Amino acid sequence: GAKATGKLGRYSPAYPAAADDADGGDPVFNIARVRADFGGNSLVGLALTDWRESGAYNTVAAADVRYVFGRLYYFEGQAGGSWSRFDGFGTRPAPIWQAELDRTGRSWGFNYALSGIEDDFRTRAGFVPRSGIVDGHFFNRFSLYGGRGALVENFTFFGGPSRTWQYRAFPQRSPIEGGEQLGGFTIFRGGWRVNWGVFRQLVIFDRALYAGLEAETTPGTFTPYDAPRELSNLWGDSISISTPVFSKWQATLGAATFAT
């Protein structure tokens, strides 16, 4: 393998390449990345990965941007796709995309993000744990501050919803997974800290996936499995108390419960 990196003014290119000694073949990887800085802390970039072995290939190309503005805000966006051919069969171009808006303020902040990975997206020079989904979350954070030495020095709470949709059903159909959460922490005088949180999770089942399955209701008796339409009452909460950091020790005591 070989790697070349550098810095040319506001541009930062990088190019690693390698031949892998794998069982059954010798795949070749080529990865190229170029980034350009602009503004104070913003950047735009292009990335290309390519994997080839015995007529099979997987190519991924994407463009991304991180734009910082108003001192407290940034926007991140990415758009790309994959082109693949395995076992003599090619797949159509499959997109991947992401949009994220963030505010990092002292008393109020948020992070809103939405990302999508099409069903046929593949990458041999990376890792995508799950495809065929659109995933989004919309979190807010609020903080209150007491003076130094006050009984309550910091009180912060945050929370919001998260949802997951099937890619090809977004946004017409309902999400298939998601939940809401609300949590926070309080820092008391001397460094004592209390963390807490509550959450709810939901899952909506595609009942067609369970067609043909049977459940054993009594010994030797099987009936068609009647999958639930949804589970939306999965509740949980947690709380923990942490001591200050002493010279030789620190302790945390916590508890959590879950209910349906």
Side-chain angles (χ1 to χ4, degrees), residues 106 144-154 187 189:
R106 185 173 186 269
L144 301 173
Y145 299 89
R148 182 177 295 275
L151 177 61
V152 177
E153 296 184 345
N154 185 322
I187 300 177
R189 181 172 52 229

Side-chain angles (χ1 to χ4, degrees), residues 204-219:
I204 298 177
F205 295 89
D206 183 354
R207 304 185 71 175
L209 298 176
Y210 301 89
L213 293 180
E214 294 184 336
E216 187 175 13
T217 53
T218 60

Side-chain angles (χ1 to χ4, degrees), residues 44 63 106 146 222 231:
V44 61
R106 185 173 186 269
F222 295 85
L231 296 177

